[in-house]
Amino acid sequence: MSKQKEQLPLPLFDELITLNANMLDEEGAWETPAYLAQNMVHKFRYYQDAALRFFHYSQATKEFRFRNINHVLFNMATGSGKTDLMAGLILYLYQEQGYQNFLFLVNTNGVLNKTIDNLTNKTSNKYLYQPKIEIDGERIDIQQVPSFPKSQSKNTIYLKLATVQSVASDIFTQKENAMGEEDYARHKVVILGDEAHHYSASTKTEKETEQSWEKAISTILNAREDNRLLEFTATIDLENKKVYDKYKDKVLYRYALDRFIRDEFSKYVKRIQSSNTDVDNMMNVVLLSEYRRRYALEEHGAYIKPVIMFKSQRIEASNVAHEQFNELIDTLTVESLKAFLDRQAQIASEDDSETLALAYEYYRNHEDSLSEIVRDIKRELAPSRIINANDTSQSGILEKGHYEALNSLESPTNLYRVIFAVARLTEGWDVLNLFDIVRLSNDPKTKGTKATTMSEAQLIGRGARYYPFLLNGERSFKRRFEQDGKDSLILETIHYHTINEPQYLKNLVSALDDMNLPTGKDKKNPPFDVEVKSKFKKTDVWKYGKIYYNETIEVSDDYYDSLDKYGVDNKNDVVIPYISALKEVGYKDNKVQADYPNAYNVVLTFDKRFLNKAMNRLSFYHFSNLKKYIPLLNSREDFLGENWLNIYNRTIRVTIPRTMESSTITATEKLNLLERYFVNVAKQIKAGYSKQRGTGKFIGYPIKEYIVNYRKRVPKYDTSNILIDSSPQNVQRYEIKEDYFVYDSAIINLTERQLIDKIAERVSELKEAYSDVYLIRMDENMHRESAKNNKLKLHQFGSGHDKVNLAGFQPDFILYLQNTDYFIQIFIEPKGRNIEEEQWKEDLLLYINEHESEIIFEDETEDVKIKGVKFYTMNDGRRAIHQIGEIALGKEFKGLSL
């Protein structure tokens, strides 16, 4: 794993972060204008909202009033929606700042055509605005123009979309009807520079041809003081000193690839490394791609069209590969397919691709249908459904001749499935249903140099955009399935099929690491089978035993008529612990008292601006969202009033150390204290709102129907650290042969393993009081094997919970104890982290013990006791094992130290 590079300081971005946190003037209440949501097809994601807000601050606040921030750069990950943000900025700058003239610059004609569709072509499925744009009752017209008119019409936005080459040529060459410097001085202009890293070429070199681009843009920007330049790029080389010096004060917002992936807006990335011939790799990807299509249809009733891209380093090699592919499909027969599958079976090893193995298994299980499958492959991958993007010497894929086809690959009417292209395929291509990229090796003149592999890594990053296919009538722009599960491997993963050459792979992995792009080999990671022991299936517990969970009932919106229904205290004074900017602890963290043993409470003084700012900084409190959780709410002001939060009738106090004067609490700290309070209230409201609530009625579910075999996969990644479990406790599979454990194995971390071992030490003592002693692991993957197991959740019931949370959860273990008189079921939850955040779970487990009188059973004749214990933590710091002894035996276990 490569060491993370130290982040270079970016003064403008850092200043805006501070301003966003500290600002208390009239701009503190600013949020994304409603007219953007009303007039754009896509709703802004949180980071797009933040980028627009930062830009607004740079243009509208008193801190920047005399600085004329006229050149900024948005550094945002590929696929994160930079064009959506540009479209929103156009409307913002028109409405808020009065700009009507926008010059959109790109580096290639292909990207130019795509952007024309995005911003001006109402018939395109890529068009980003609503068909009719209206702001404050006025209809707004967007006109694409070759030059900005001298006389400008009201309610009109003029868009000039051009390549940087053509604009530079116009600036430096006197041409008829061309826009020169004086034309950009007539009316104020906003330049939108897409893929902006190209426009700083002269910053890196001194070539005159490249310098003219940068100089031309600068000429337009400086033609008027109120002209603006907004640049956008996913890749900016800040390691280059000249580039850094130019942009360090211009980077206005950053949203990096690692954050994009962590936010689940991407596919997973897996590498299939092979020493096969190119033709065999082609056959593999054909079978995998067609399997994806069939799997989506047969398992989920979803139609997807997975696209394959074959990538070469040179056009000549790509064209040869295209011919080979056509011949492969043309000569494919049932017999040749069977022979290929047989050959793969003969050379199979544990090191093979897991996903390919699933595809092979599918075809072997459908041997009777192979003639139909072959016909489908010949139809789906026929020459008429292949694009060869190598008939151009330009630098992008979206060039003349293929633009329409390549820019609409997600459309159901677009039948193309395969693309052949050279390594230059990079910018501008935003296809979402690309699932396989095959790096061909039939070009002896090219090798995987560091430059080449970085280009490939960037391509993989582009292909990793999530495909929002329709599932159960809904689209999602975020991942939906369990990581590395079968659904995710096939429908949420892009596979990069690559040559198995050591130096090339070393360079590729290094490039992926540098991008912080998490990938792993699609090998050596089969799911583990976890099976109920056959011996356990012979017992009466298996045949007749039950496990108990409480029933839920539906709740109407009318139930939520006050915040106490959510567990929010709106009557007592608020006490917030003072925490300096250097500390990061929770709202009610007990470390505060430990750090400040002589602490005392003082009244926090503030005005309404602080409340508005604290709420505006949290998207939860945007009224449209707040209304989802509080259906009876009338307005955001109503939320602050006595019917709900009652904030004006309560005193807010802050706990500070004796050594500190209350007058030293700064405005920024006041805001942070209030924000922390509102964050806590938001968590309580979200946790307390549900369409279902638990009851005290417990239902017995037959063990033999609900304790089932299941499979579980442990994800493995070897680049980046985003998807690698940050816990030091690595999950592993352990075989457990002893009879008391009902499964043959468990896939668990060290805390869970330690719990199992400590229970094992007490089995003989428990058997002195109980004929049946069994520990049952309730793995979440067991849910997925049987839909009915979703009933197996424990929910809050009754009243008086310190923190209301109606979501319900499944404790990880059940200790099942039975003798001739009664049966005890003890819920046990091991916990290694997030203890404070999930404290409500432990509270519920203990609530069960303290409120036995509220528990009723479906069959009242059964002598059943339901119990819970404190979280089991490493080395039993909360004494859960002691508590189990007290519950089960009425005394501590023998020899158990205090």
Side-chain angles (χ1 to χ4, degrees), residues 21-43:
N22 298 349
M23 186 175 58
L24 291 170
D25 60 14
E26 67 278 3
E27 295 301 331
W30 194 88
E31 55 185 86
T32 301
Y35 59 76
L36 290 189
Q38 293 162 2
N39 288 298
M40 294 183 63
V41 171
H42 302 136
K43 186 179 184 296

Side-chain angles (χ1 to χ4, degrees), residues 115-161:
T115 309
I116 290 171
D117 270 2
N118 290 153
L119 300 178
T120 67
N121 183 2
K122 295 180 181 180
T123 64
S124 170
N125 61 359
K126 301 280 187 176
Y127 186 58
L128 298 178
Y129 296 118
Q130 296 295 342
K132 295 179 181 178
I133 300 175
E134 189 173 291
I135 302 177
D136 291 344
E138 299 281 344
R139 181 70 59 81
I140 310 302
D141 184 33
I142 295 182
Q143 291 185 15
Q144 182 185 353
V145 295
S147 60
F148 300 129
K150 294 179 181 179
S151 178
Q152 305 209 323
S153 301
K154 184 184 176 184
N155 297 341
T156 303
I157 293 172
Y158 299 103
L159 279 181
K160 175 178 169 64
L161 299 104

Side-chain angles (χ1 to χ4, degrees), residues 282 308-312 317-326 386-390 397 418-422 425 440:
M282 287 177 180
I308 306 168
M309 191 192 77
F310 292 103
K311 189 180 75 63
S312 300
S318 182
N319 290 337
V320 169
H322 186 179
E323 292 176 4
Q324 290 177 314
F325 183 82
N326 283 343
I386 299 171
I387 299 173
N388 186 308
N390 295 318
I397 186 172
V418 180
I419 295 132
F420 284 86
V422 296
L425 185 152
L440 297 170

Side-chain angles (χ1 to χ4, degrees), residues 11-249:
L12 176 61
F13 183 40
D14 293 339
E15 183 179 3
L16 285 164
I17 291 173
T18 302
L19 182 61
N20 187 52
N22 298 349
M23 186 175 58
L24 291 170
D25 60 14
E26 67 278 3
E27 295 301 331
W30 194 88
E31 55 185 86
T32 301
Y35 59 76
L36 290 189
Q38 293 162 2
N39 288 298
M40 294 183 63
V41 171
H42 302 136
K43 186 179 184 296
F44 269 10
R45 296 170 181 170
Y46 79 90
Y47 56 85
Q48 293 165 322
D49 278 323
L52 179 62
R53 186 167 64 251
F54 277 31
F55 180 71
H56 172 80
Y57 290 164
S58 77
Q59 303 299 301
T61 63
K62 63 180 184 294
E63 286 81 0
F64 291 96
R65 196 162 292 158
F66 303 107
R67 288 163 59 178
N68 189 27
I69 304 298
N70 66 348
H71 180 189
V72 297
L73 182 135
F74 297 85
N75 180 204
M76 301 175 70
T78 293
S80 61
K82 292 191 293 294
T83 312
D84 270 307
L85 178 60
M86 292 181 215
L89 281 163
I90 288 171
L91 294 186
Y92 164 84
L93 283 161
Y94 165 80
Q95 179 66 12
E96 310 295 334
Q97 305 289 336
Y99 285 86
Q100 289 184 256
N101 303 286
F102 295 85
L103 171 63
F104 196 102
L105 293 179
V106 294
N107 185 41
T108 66
N109 286 318
V111 180
L112 178 64
N113 291 331
K114 182 187 74 125
T115 309
I116 290 171
D117 270 2
N118 290 153
L119 300 178
T120 67
N121 183 2
K122 295 180 181 180
T123 64
S124 170
N125 61 359
K126 301 280 187 176
Y127 186 58
L128 298 178
Y129 296 118
Q130 296 295 342
K132 295 179 181 178
I133 300 175
E134 189 173 291
I135 302 177
D136 291 344
E138 299 281 344
R139 181 70 59 81
I140 310 302
D141 184 33
I142 295 182
Q143 291 185 15
Q144 182 185 353
V145 295
S147 60
F148 300 129
K150 294 179 181 179
S151 178
Q152 305 209 323
S153 301
K154 184 184 176 184
N155 297 341
T156 303
I157 293 172
Y158 299 103
L159 279 181
K160 175 178 169 64
L161 299 104
T163 63
V164 65
Q165 297 94 324
S166 66
V167 169
S169 175
D170 288 348
I171 288 288
F172 297 119
T173 307
Q174 294 295 325
K175 296 180 183 177
E176 189 176 355
N177 299 323
M179 288 193 71
E181 181 178 358
E182 67 282 359
D183 297 297
Y184 293 105
R186 186 175 296 110
H187 303 287
K188 60 183 182 181
V189 174
V190 178
I191 310 164
L192 300 166
D194 197 12
E195 306 294 355
H197 50 281
H198 290 299
Y199 312 142
S200 294
S202 69
T203 304
K204 293 183 281 187
T205 73
E206 295 300 327
K207 293 181 182 178
E208 183 61 33
T209 55
E210 293 176 332
Q211 186 179 32
S212 65
W213 297 1
E214 195 167 10
K215 186 177 178 182
I217 295 171
S218 179
T219 298
I220 298 170
L221 175 62
N222 295 321
R224 284 177 63 114
E225 186 179 7
D226 50 3
N227 281 358
R228 296 285 180 263
L229 171 58
L230 281 55
E231 296 190 276
F232 302 81
T233 184
T235 54
I236 180 170
D237 185 13
L238 294 176
E239 299 297 318
N240 181 300
K241 187 178 184 305
K242 289 183 178 180
V243 174
Y244 174 71
D245 287 343
K246 175 181 176 180
Y247 282 106
K248 65 182 179 182
D249 292 315

Side-chain angles (χ1 to χ4, degrees), residues 743-781:
Y743 284 104
D744 63 358
S745 59
I747 300 170
I748 49 178
N749 62 33
L750 293 181
T751 303
E752 294 164 333
R753 176 65 200 237
Q754 193 184 81
L755 167 66
I756 292 173
D757 289 344
K758 287 190 177 294
I759 297 291
E761 293 171 0
R762 301 297 164 181
V763 168
S764 59
E765 194 172 345
L766 289 168
K767 283 195 171 181
E768 294 175 8
Y770 300 94
S771 56
D772 296 302
V773 177
Y774 291 104
L775 184 63
I776 305 172
R777 165 68 162 154
M778 304 298 294
D779 195 287
E780 61 180 9
N781 282 65

Side-chain angles (χ1 to χ4, degrees), residues 37 56 142 157 254 263 302 352 794 801 883 897:
H56 172 80
I142 295 182
I157 293 172
R254 297 195 84 179
D263 286 343
D352 287 342
L794 189 63
H801 298 278
Q883 197 176 359
S897 60

